[in-house]
Amino acid sequence: MNDQKELFQLAKSLNAVETIKVSSGAISSHQHPSSHHSTQTFRYIIVIDFEATCWAKDDQKWKKNEIIEFPAVLINLTNGKIESEFRQYVMPIENPRLSDFCTELTGIRQDQVDDGVPLHTCLSLFNKWMKQTVDDHMLILPKSNPDNQTGNVALATWSDWDFGTCLSKECTRKKINKPAYFDQWIDVRAIYKKFYQHNPISFNDALNKLGMQFAGRPHSGLDDSRNIARLITKMCLDGANFVITKDLKPFELFNK
């Protein structure tokens, strides 16, 4: 017994054994990054990547971006699976005709946005999807429940542009009431940059750095969202934790 005890103590001093701490019936451990699920702040993440009206550099002066594709994917961080998706084409009002540059970049056709819905209608449809998704998966959004202000799901984008600039400015111009859950989010790019100590020049650069390739059509909002979800899964496996990086109303508890 003494020999076994001495061997264990030697292995422990060399970090050759796993240490497990049991507290109040819960087990926590220092393990390989594959056990990341138990240390994630959120169990689910909703990834959104808008496509918006755009123009060639020489034609964009004084023009404002309007969302023309509104996608979302719900990813389960415990298994990396996408469990629900939302997609809606949106009708631009301020500049209703898509530029050739925009169509070529995004693959979105004029007839698709003509058959789309105005942004305020799209937000109503998305809100219905959100409520159904929250009910189906027993989700709690950050700051929506006084007893669990962190929640178990958060919205995420690649950079702050989608929520902080595009959606925010368009809602302000059009006097649309933006749902409060859009006021805090995870900037996946910021988490990536800090975790890997690498400043990617593009989303593809970030994928390539990790030995991944884009699946689908770049600048399709839904495909972009799916690929961001894939990147999040890979980052979780590597040990990255996803937390809220931007909160426009840090002291306000939002209603559900």
Side-chain angles (χ1 to χ4, degrees), residues 70-116:
F70 194 125
V73 299
L74 174 71
I75 180 172
N76 185 336
L77 297 186
T78 63
N79 55 26
K81 292 183 179 179
I82 291 175
E83 298 199 356
S84 183
E85 294 184 339
F86 173 90
R87 186 189 212 179
Q88 177 64 55
Y89 288 108
V90 186
M91 180 189 304
I93 304 299
E94 296 163 332
N95 291 281
R97 296 299 302 176
L98 299 182
S99 68
D100 292 340
F101 175 86
C102 184
T103 297
E104 183 176 349
L105 179 69
T106 66
I108 298 173
R109 305 185 312 271
Q110 185 66 47
D111 65 290
Q112 289 176 309
V113 295
D114 288 344
D115 292 337

Side-chain angles (χ1 to χ4, degrees), residues 121-213:
T121 303
C122 178
L123 286 171
S124 295
L125 294 172
F126 178 74
N127 200 48
K128 289 181 181 179
W129 177 84
M130 280 286 286
K131 288 181 178 179
Q132 187 65 54
T133 302
V134 164
D135 290 342
D136 290 346
H137 299 275
M138 294 183 291
L139 304 182
I140 301 173
L141 288 160
K143 302 198 299 184
S144 66
N145 187 324
D147 298 324
N148 185 355
Q149 292 194 32
T150 300
N152 61 6
V153 62
L155 273 62
T157 66
W158 180 258
S159 85
D160 291 331
W161 182 85
D162 294 81
F163 296 156
T165 299
C166 186
L167 180 63
S168 181
K169 288 187 175 182
E170 186 172 356
C171 286
T172 298
R173 292 196 313 270
K174 296 180 178 180
K175 295 179 171 51
I176 296 172
N177 289 325
K178 182 183 66 175
Y181 48 72
F182 284 115
D183 283 334
Q184 68 282 306
W185 62 86
I186 299 169
D187 176 359
V188 178
R189 186 182 184 278
I191 302 287
Y192 175 99
K193 182 178 178 181
K194 182 176 181 180
F195 184 74
Y196 294 110
Q197 295 295 297
H198 172 237
N199 188 12
I201 60 175
S202 65
F203 179 64
N204 268 332
D205 182 38
L207 289 177
N208 294 336
K209 179 73 173 179
L210 301 185
M212 302 174 66
Q213 292 186 341

